[in-house]
Amino acid sequence: MSHILLSTKIAAPAPRPELVPRPHLLARLERALQHRLSLVSAPAGFGKTTLLSAWAASLDPIDTPLAWISLDEGDNDPARFLAYLVAALDKLLVSSGGDILQDSPAVPPSLGENFLAHLLNAFNEIGQPSPAFVLILDDYHLITAEPLHTALAFLIDHLPPNLHLVIASRTDPPLPLARLRARGQLLELRQADLRFTPEEAGLFFSQVMHLSLSPEETAALAARTEGWAAGLQLAAISLQDHPDRESFIAAFTGSHPFILDYLLEEVLQRQPAHIQQFLLSTAILDQLSAPLCDHLLANESPTGAQPILQYLECANLFLAPLDDQRQWYRYHHLFADFLDAHLQQTDPERRLKLHREAAVWYERQGMFEEAIEHALQASDFHYAANLMARTAEATIKRSELTILLGWFQRLPESVLQEHASLCFYYAWVLLLFGYPFEEARARLEQSERPAGRLPGQADVLRAFVAVFQNDVLTAAELANRALRDLPAEASFLRSVAVWVRAVSLAWDGDIRQSIPALEAAAQYSLQAGNIMIAVAAVAHQAEMLTYLGELRQAHDLYQRALRMAVDSQGRNLPVAGIPLIGLGELYREWGQLAQAEEALLKGLELTKQWGQIGSLDGYIALALTCQARGDEARARQAIAEARQIAEMFDLSTFDDRLVDLHAALLGILQGDLSLAIAWQARAELNPQALQAALRDRSQTGILTNSLLLEFEYLVWIRLLVEEGRNAFALQMLDMLQPRVTSQARQTGPLKIHLLRCLALHGLGQVEAALDELRTALTLGEAQGHVRAFLDMGPVVISLLHELQPRGPQSAYITRLLSADAPLQPLSTPSRQPLFEALSQRELEVLRLLAAGLSNQQIAAQLVVAPSTVKTHINHLYRKLDVSSRTQATARARQLGLLP
């Protein structure tokens, strides 16, 4: 029986008139002519046919004749498949004057090897030079007949050099792909390659769908759809007439009606019943493993979950592996949303039960964070609270307080009040995140009910609060009382009390003696497994050494604290933000501004995960760093962030004074004296107040207030010099100098001598000014001070030039002057060409890297191994001539590679 052939099935679809250009993918397809087989394999809606039709239209029909077969279920009939195959191949040979059937009687009813050999010989017999013939088989996933797979494998194995096969499929076909891959005869384009980048998504919305979206809106949709072309199109269709674009984008998930309809019809309903059951039963999981899936399915599947997971991956059913061993997987975000929404709609009770069972499985594995999340999703709040009580202390020890806060806020109040220990930890978290003190106090009182009271527990938290209030005497008293009352096994709380006692000693003015006390607190905390307090104790030692002017030793201690602040996988814990901010301050002082900014930004990112109060110093240091780089706008923005944090905390006025002081200093550095003048008036700084402060030993005995007061007067004296009131400035320095120089530290005296240099120069006493500068150089050289000199402005820099040719400090002066020219602000574009262009994949990695994603998150986004991401980042660093993420981002912005 002869088949009537549809001409549309053997014609390449016309490319869409409005198409997002994807030259990097077309360039990849050009390499198809160097391979026997090219496979374009990705789930539904990733633009396989669109890409191949665009490529087909780009080919020269004389140099590269192309034939196309659009397959459907009916083509599983071998005779029909062969009829279309012959028609397509015969169409290819027309331009070469060939005829497949000229030496064969007719198309046989089956795919025998003799006839297949005849087809191939027709191409072999074409004289040279021969065109490069291309045959595209689209929608090959619809072919299920084993004889057709066998016949195609025979064709591939014996393809002549001038014939190239391209297959587009939603699943990997049962062909000898591994053998072809090993021989270098296979070109592959997969889901990760076909994903739209944010830039391509922007072009799609503007040029194809005629929507005007902001870069932020485009990036949000690109991230939510993970570059899935069909998802972007469905979102665009919905947006065209939507009255509230912002809320739609925020809520766009796989439960959107268009997404539901598409995935239900195109994906779920096309699967066998047992696969549908598996997909819906595992829809509640963020990550899938075979043992977990077996537990949820209660061993309903006779083969177990592992073969199904392998099938789903092979079938491109929106499943991506999360490790090289294929032990953990995840669904595409929209697909997971769709499955979960479908399960909620069809069987909400089963959904809750599945979450409960997932929580049980994770608890048995000791994975409490995941167990708690599923218990909360199951609305089993008592189970979740019991799990929280078992892990809250360990979570605090790791400084992962953001996680705790999220859990507490999802528990009903009635359940919280039944767990006194949770109320205690909740109070702690509220304090560190800047919630009103009364909220924390209320939770603390709830924790003190007789049923939940632990002797000394409340005193630890109150001592912690007293530290932040700078009430060191009360803090020490409460800490000592807690250590007396707490049982020996309460090692976590005892370690906090030991740390509070050491900090109180430091802040009471005895800096030298506080260092061994802080070291003892660090060692005790390490033994108790309290990484958060151990890191804080070591970082505080570094802070004390910085006050003493011993910057190099401080640097070593900050590095030690940073090495301690890691989890079992070697990733930075949130408390690593403390030493990173400390290092950033040191790098700034040493003039290593790019390194300083990198440390500060990373430190701020981490610090926000364990308590906003820790961000205050980071934003102040960032403001001064940006100012040193010449970026005044970013400096003002950073100090504004610091002010918001200070206003958030109502424990003391210390933070407000600290921010006001640095805002005034920033105004002086930027030439806006009005800010500093207004600050001086509010702070009531004057000679009488200074004399009173110097007489008040209770005030000067407390390190924090003492140093803050000292710094306030040093900034006011700097303001006096800038106003030209140099004689008055010298009088104030004479009053302050004995107090500063009596404390056996270098930083304060260094600033005193530099300010005297400025004031004397302003009075025309140049030689005296040079003498003060020489003394300052002697103090500054040992620890490598840079910004202390350069921040004094052009007068000191000109005097350094005068001193440079003479004296033993010329090498140090040369180093200072070489750091004088501020770097360009990061926001200033400088389009210098790269010696070697970035690949498309490297650009994708760069964008994700600039967005702050970790290597693991980038790997999951791109569906590649973390080692591959690391390789791409190394290539980026080499091509951009940088050595860090921050430098790469800055360099890319200068080159216009990032907005």
Side-chain angles (χ1 to χ4, degrees):
M1 177 181 176
S2 62
H3 293 273
I4 300 175
L5 303 183
L6 293 172
S7 59
T8 53
K9 278 174 62 71
I10 55 173
R16 296 179 180 179
E18 293 177 319
L19 197 65
V20 175
R22 310 193 77 184
H24 63 289
L25 293 181
L26 296 180
R28 289 275 301 276
L29 284 171
E30 286 295 328
R31 292 161 51 194
L33 306 181
Q34 304 167 18
H35 298 79
R36 288 178 181 269
L37 173 64
S38 297
L39 176 64
V40 183
S41 178
F46 266 89
K48 300 180 292 294
T49 301
T50 300
L51 174 65
L52 289 177
S53 64
W55 180 56
S58 72
L59 296 176
D60 187 321
I62 297 176
D63 293 336
T64 314
L66 178 140
W68 184 297
I69 304 178
S70 297
L71 298 168
D72 55 45
E73 289 88 343
D75 294 320
N76 281 289
D77 176 1
R80 173 171 163 170
F81 180 91
L82 184 56
Y84 277 108
L85 180 64
V86 169
L89 294 177
D90 202 43
K91 182 179 178 182
L92 278 180
L93 290 175
V94 169
S95 60
S96 300
D99 183 355
I100 286 180
L101 300 178
Q102 63 183 356
D103 297 321
S104 181
V107 177
S110 63
L111 287 162
E113 288 189 3
N114 287 339
F115 188 77
L116 294 176
H118 172 74
L119 295 180
L120 298 173
N121 287 337
F123 288 88
N124 259 327
E125 293 166 1
I126 295 174
Q128 297 298 324
S130 170
F133 298 101
V134 175
L135 172 63
I136 296 178
L137 301 180
D138 195 18
D139 288 335
Y140 191 81
H141 55 275
L142 299 174
I143 301 301
T144 58
E146 187 59 36
L148 299 187
H149 300 318
T150 302
L152 199 61
F154 177 85
L155 281 174
I156 293 170
D157 281 342
H158 298 88
L159 280 176
N162 59 353
L163 181 58
H164 309 276
L165 181 63
V166 179
I167 290 177
S169 176
R170 294 182 184 178
T171 64
D172 280 8
L175 298 171
L177 300 181
R179 186 175 74 239
L180 293 168
R181 191 180 293 119
R183 294 176 178 176
Q185 297 172 342
L186 176 65
L187 172 70
E188 297 174 90
L189 287 178
R190 296 193 170 273
Q191 175 179 329
D193 303 300
L194 298 179
R195 284 176 173 159
F196 272 49
T197 65
E199 289 74 18
E200 290 172 333
L203 290 174
F204 172 77
F205 286 129
S206 62
Q207 296 183 7
V208 179
M209 303 305 296
H210 306 293
L211 283 172
S212 178
L213 300 184
S214 69
E216 292 76 20
E217 291 170 332
T218 298
L221 286 173
R224 190 67 191 140
T225 60
E226 298 185 61
W228 181 37
L232 292 170
Q233 184 169 16
L234 294 170
I237 292 171
S238 303
L239 274 172
Q240 285 175 335
D241 299 313
H242 202 283
D244 187 352
R245 175 183 295 171
E246 183 177 349
S247 63
F248 171 84
I249 293 173
F252 182 70
T253 67
S255 62
H256 188 277
F258 286 171
I259 299 286
L260 281 171
D261 292 345
Y262 183 92
L263 290 174
L264 188 65
E265 180 179 344
E266 291 292 326
V267 179
L268 188 61
Q269 291 181 348
R270 294 175 181 265
Q271 299 305 312
H274 74 287
I275 297 297
Q276 292 188 39
Q277 174 74 2
F278 181 91
L279 291 171
L280 291 174
S281 297
T282 57
I284 55 104
L285 300 175
D286 292 328
Q287 298 184 352
L288 299 83
S289 72
L292 173 54
C293 295
D294 284 332
H295 177 80
L296 292 188
L297 292 166
N299 297 314
E300 294 174 3
S301 171
T303 63
Q306 189 61 46
I308 297 178
L309 288 169
Q310 292 171 348
Y311 162 78
L312 294 176
E313 183 184 4
C314 185
N316 281 326
L317 274 176
F318 295 93
L319 185 76
L322 294 177
D323 54 43
D324 295 334
Q325 292 74 38
R326 297 312 203 256
Q327 293 181 351
W328 287 94
Y329 297 82
R330 75 166 177 87
Y331 290 125
H332 184 290
H333 295 317
L334 287 182
F335 189 56
D337 290 343
F338 154 71
L339 291 174
D340 193 40
H342 192 65
L343 179 63
Q344 173 66 25
Q345 182 180 11
T346 57
D347 197 348
E349 290 301 318
R350 176 166 172 74
R351 181 177 180 273
L352 293 176
K353 181 182 176 182
L354 287 166
H355 273 298
R356 180 67 165 71
E357 288 302 315
V360 170
W361 187 88
Y362 275 118
E363 180 191 2
R364 291 174 182 170
Q365 311 307 311
M367 302 170 71
F368 288 99
E369 185 177 334
E370 293 82 358
I372 291 167
E373 179 60 34
H374 282 289
L376 291 170
Q377 290 281 355
S379 297
D380 194 340
F381 297 115
H382 288 282
Y383 181 29
N386 288 328
L387 291 171
M388 288 180 203
R390 292 170 59 186
T391 193
E393 183 177 296
T395 306
I396 288 182
K397 287 179 178 179
R398 297 192 304 270
S399 69
E400 295 173 337
L401 302 189
T402 302
I403 296 172
L404 271 181
L405 180 62
W407 291 343
F408 292 146
Q409 290 176 335
R410 292 163 68 184
L411 281 180
E413 183 63 31
S414 59
V415 175
L416 258 174
Q417 293 195 21
E418 293 178 20
H419 292 78
S421 64
L422 290 184
C423 292
F424 173 72
Y425 294 124
Y426 199 0
W428 199 307
V429 173
L430 289 172
L431 279 171
L432 287 172
F433 277 93
Y435 283 79
F437 182 53
E438 290 308 313
E439 286 190 39
R441 188 198 302 276
R443 293 299 179 190
L444 180 60
E445 290 172 354
Q446 289 173 352
S447 75
E448 294 186 275
R449 293 189 303 271
R453 179 179 297 169
L454 180 68
Q457 173 180 274
D459 283 338
V460 173
L461 187 57
R462 290 194 175 97
F464 194 78
V465 172
V467 165
F468 282 103
Q469 291 175 324
N470 299 306
D471 186 354
V472 294
L473 297 179
T474 301
E477 179 183 348
L478 289 168
N480 284 323
R481 192 166 73 189
L483 288 169
R484 182 196 65 202
D485 296 339
L486 283 168
E489 61 271 17
S491 59
F492 164 66
L493 294 174
R494 293 184 68 87
S495 67
V496 176
V498 170
W499 170 76
V500 168
R501 189 169 59 182
V503 170
S504 299
L505 178 63
W507 287 8
D508 196 28
D510 199 342
I511 299 177
R512 286 289 177 192
Q513 289 190 22
S514 74
I515 293 175
L518 286 165
E519 177 60 27
Q523 294 300 326
Y524 187 93
S525 299
L526 282 175
Q527 292 171 9
N530 193 345
I531 299 299
M532 181 177 75
I533 295 299
V535 170
V538 174
H540 275 111
Q541 292 180 62
E543 188 178 0
M544 297 302 102
L545 289 170
T546 302
Y547 291 150
L548 293 170
E550 298 173 15
L551 306 189
R552 302 191 193 282
Q553 288 180 266
H555 174 267
D556 292 342
L557 279 173
Y558 279 132
Q559 290 285 8
R560 175 186 161 201
L562 192 58
R563 289 191 298 271
M564 293 164 56
V566 294
D567 63 13
S568 56
Q569 282 78 46
R571 296 171 300 192
N572 285 130
L573 291 169
V575 74
I578 297 177
L580 279 168
I581 288 173
L583 285 169
E585 292 174 319
L586 289 179
Y587 293 143
R588 188 199 73 83
E589 177 54 36
W590 287 335
Q592 301 167 14
L593 300 181
Q595 200 169 351
E597 184 166 20
E598 180 181 10
L600 290 170
L601 290 176
K602 187 174 181 181
L604 285 166
E605 178 186 349
L606 288 168
T607 300
K608 291 175 185 177
Q609 299 173 35
W610 72 267
Q612 288 285 352
I613 187 62
S615 303
L616 184 72
D617 290 340
Y619 277 115
I620 289 173
L622 182 62
L624 296 175
T625 301
C626 291
Q627 177 62 32
R629 299 194 72 153
D631 196 339
E632 295 187 352
R634 285 188 68 205
R636 290 191 294 270
Q637 180 183 353
I639 208 69
E641 295 274 5
R643 189 177 301 283
Q644 288 182 4
I645 294 169
E647 292 172 351
M648 184 189 305
F649 287 83
D650 56 358
L651 297 180
S652 75
T653 61
F654 177 84
D655 295 330
D656 299 299
R657 285 175 61 192
L658 190 65
V659 174
D660 283 345
L661 163 67
H662 283 91
L665 175 60
L666 201 63
I668 293 172
L669 294 175
Q670 294 187 357
D672 185 359
L673 299 186
S674 61
L675 291 173
I677 292 169
W679 159 76
Q680 183 265 333
R682 290 195 306 274
E684 298 181 345
L685 302 176
N686 54 63
Q688 295 75 25
L690 178 56
Q691 286 179 337
L694 292 174
R695 287 194 302 267
D696 186 356
R697 303 311 300 171
S698 64
Q699 174 77 348
T700 57
I702 299 174
L703 175 65
T704 50
N705 289 331
S706 171
L707 286 174
L708 180 61
L709 189 69
E710 175 186 308
F711 197 7
E712 285 175 332
Y713 275 97
L714 288 173
V715 172
W716 175 45
I717 293 168
R718 174 72 185 274
L719 173 62
L720 295 175
V721 171
E722 296 295 332
E723 291 179 309
R725 300 165 69 185
N726 295 294
F728 187 26
L730 285 173
Q731 292 176 25
M732 294 300 98
L733 286 170
D734 289 340
M735 290 176 60
L736 192 60
Q737 188 163 1
R739 151 73 191 287
V740 172
T741 56
S742 67
Q743 297 185 4
R745 54 192 176 86
Q746 296 177 6
T747 305
L750 173 61
K751 293 176 181 176
I752 289 280
H753 288 293
L754 286 170
L755 286 171
R756 291 184 70 86
C757 171
L758 284 180
L760 288 167
H761 186 274
L763 293 171
Q765 301 176 32
V766 177
E767 283 303 319
L770 288 171
D771 286 341
E772 294 288 348
L773 183 55
R774 290 187 187 96
T775 303
L777 288 167
T778 301
L779 290 173
E781 184 173 13
Q783 296 296 325
H785 286 275
V786 172
R787 294 311 311 181
F789 292 86
L790 301 184
D791 287 347
M792 289 294 167
V795 169
V796 165
I797 292 172
S798 66
L799 292 176
L800 287 171
H801 278 286
E802 187 171 340
L803 285 177
Q804 187 179 18
R806 47 198 171 108
Q809 298 162 325
S810 59
Y812 180 36
I813 295 173
T814 300
R815 182 151 57 88
L816 290 174
L817 295 176
S818 66
D820 174 35
L823 301 177
Q824 287 298 315
L826 292 183
S827 57
T828 302
S830 176
R831 299 182 179 272
Q832 304 169 18
L834 284 173
F835 289 106
E836 184 178 356
L838 302 185
S839 68
Q840 188 63 35
R841 178 46 60 89
E842 288 165 355
L843 284 170
E844 293 175 10
V845 172
L846 174 63
R847 295 182 189 103
L848 296 174
L849 182 149
L853 274 67
S854 67
N855 287 13
Q856 193 73 31
Q857 290 170 324
I858 295 173
Q861 185 87 340
L862 300 179
V863 196
V864 298
S867 58
T868 303
V869 172
K870 188 174 181 180
T871 299
H872 286 310
I873 290 176
N874 288 338
H875 290 167
L876 277 172
Y877 286 0
R878 177 178 57 79
K879 292 181 179 182
L880 294 172
D881 192 26
V882 297
S883 58
S884 70
R885 285 171 168 248
T886 301
Q887 292 174 7
T889 302
R891 174 73 169 139
R893 286 182 178 139
Q894 290 173 349
L895 293 166
L897 299 175
L898 291 173

